[in-house]
Amino acid sequence: MNRRTIITGIGHFVPPRVVTNFDLEKLMNTSDEWIRQRSGIVERRHVEPGVGTSDLAYEASRVAIRSAGIEKSEIDLIIAATLSPDHYFPGIGVQVQAKLGLAPIGAIDIRNQCSGFIYALSVADQYVRTGAHKKILLVAAEVQSTNLDYSDSGRDMAVLFGDGAAALILEPHDQNDGRGILSTHLFADGRHASDLWLEKPSCLDKPCVTEELARTKKFFPYMDGKNVFKNASEKMPEAVRIALQHNGLKVEDVSLLIPHQANDRITQMVAHNLKIPLEKVIRNIHKYGNTTAASIPIALAESIQEGRVKAGDIIVLTAFGSGYTWASAVLRW
Ligand code: UT7
C-alpha cells in the first residue's frame, strides 16, 4: 500500500502573557542566570486566570484548519494530547470538539506527557494509513502554569514549564513522491513512573482529597531532575537511531531534528550524541520553556513559518518524559 499520512495544515497558539526569568526572581529564590545556564530558558508564556488547556487547543486548531484550507466540518476524528486537561475527566478532546461544533465525531485523548505528541501522531498515522479516517485534527496543548509551586520549594519545576498549544491536520497521500510520515517508534518504562509525576490526588487514598494533602504539596508535579536528565539524554538519541535504521537513513540524511524542548542542555547532548550539527536542530525553549506535549508541534509550526522546512526534507522528531515514555518519528516533507 502506497498510502502515507501527510501534514496538510499546522498552527500554534501561545497565550500572550510573557513571564520572564526576572518575573520569577520576584516570586522565589532563583535567578535569570541560573535558569539560563541550567536550562536555556529566558521566558515562557502563562495563561490569564480562567483560560484552560482546551481554549489554547481550540485556538491552535483554528489556525491549523485555516492553514489546511479545509472546512472544519470535513474533520472526521480528533486526537488530543495533554497532561494538563481542564478537568480530571473528561479529557480535552471532547471540549475541543464541542468548541469547534463538531459533534458527534470521535475524540481520543492521549496521556503520554512529553511524548504525547509523537504517541498521538502514531495513532493518527495508523487510522489514516488504514483508510479509517481522512482528515484528523491532532492537537497538543498544555496549561501548566496554574499548578506549579512558585515558592522556593518548587523552584526546580516552576521555572521550567510553560503554556502553549499546536495542532495539525493529517490526511492520506497516495502519490509516490515519498512524502509523509515514514515511521513512528514508541517506547516506555513504567518502572520509573515516580521520577516525574503528579502523585496526588490519587484513587489509592480514600478520601483522595484532604486538608492534609494541601499541606504536603503532593498535588504539585515532582521531578527527579538528574535522573530524568540522564535518561532523556540517552533515550532520545537511541530512539532516533532506531528510527533512522528502520528507514535505511543515515544521520547525514537528516535535514532537521526537532527534539522535545525539555532543557537546552539535553538538546545539545542529543545533537552531540548523534553528531548532528546544531544548525540542523530546532531550539526554541528560550521563548516558551517546556510546553510538554505541545513543544514539538510548536517547534515544527515555527520552523515551517520561518522557512526552515523545504520540500523533500527529512525531519526527525524525538521526545522523552514522564512515564518514562519516549519516542521518535521520521517524516519526509
Ligand atoms: O519534559 C520532561 C523532561 N524533563 C526534563 O528532561 C528535565 C530534566 N532535568 C533538568 O533539566 C535538570 O535536572 C534541572 C534543570 C531540573 C536541574 O538542573 P541540574 O543541573 O540538574 O541542577 P540540580 O538539580 O543539580 O540543582 C543544582 C542546585 C541545587 O542546589 P544545591 O543543592 O546544589 O545547593 C538546587 O537546589 O540548583 C538549585 N536549584 C535552583 N537554584 C536556582 C534548583 N532549582 C533552582 C532554581 N533557581 N530554579
Side-chain angles (χ1 to χ4, degrees), residues 30 34 38 114 155-156 225-226 228 260 262-263 265-266 290:
T30 191
W34 190 95
R38 296 293 178 147
C114 301
R155 64 182 181 171
D156 58 328
K226 284 201 186 314
V228 175
H260 165 52
N263 183 320
R265 287 190 295 145
I266 297 178
N290 180 346

Side-chain angles (χ1 to χ4, degrees), residues 1 9 14 48 92 132 182 184 221 227 237 247 266 281 288 298-299 316:
M1 181 172 55
V14 290
E48 297 296 342
I92 62 162
L182 305 189
T184 54
N227 241 351
N247 291 292
I266 297 178
V281 182
Y288 305 125
I298 290 176
V316 177

Side-chain angles (χ1 to χ4, degrees), residues 28 49 58 64 68 82 93 114 139 154 158 170 183 185 198 234 239 252 264 272 283 300 317:
M28 63 189 89
Y58 169 67
T82 188
C114 301
V139 59
L170 297 155
S183 67
H185 284 86
L198 199 152
E234 290 169 6
E252 303 81 68
D264 201 49
H272 179 78
R283 298 152 73 199
L300 177 60
L317 317 177

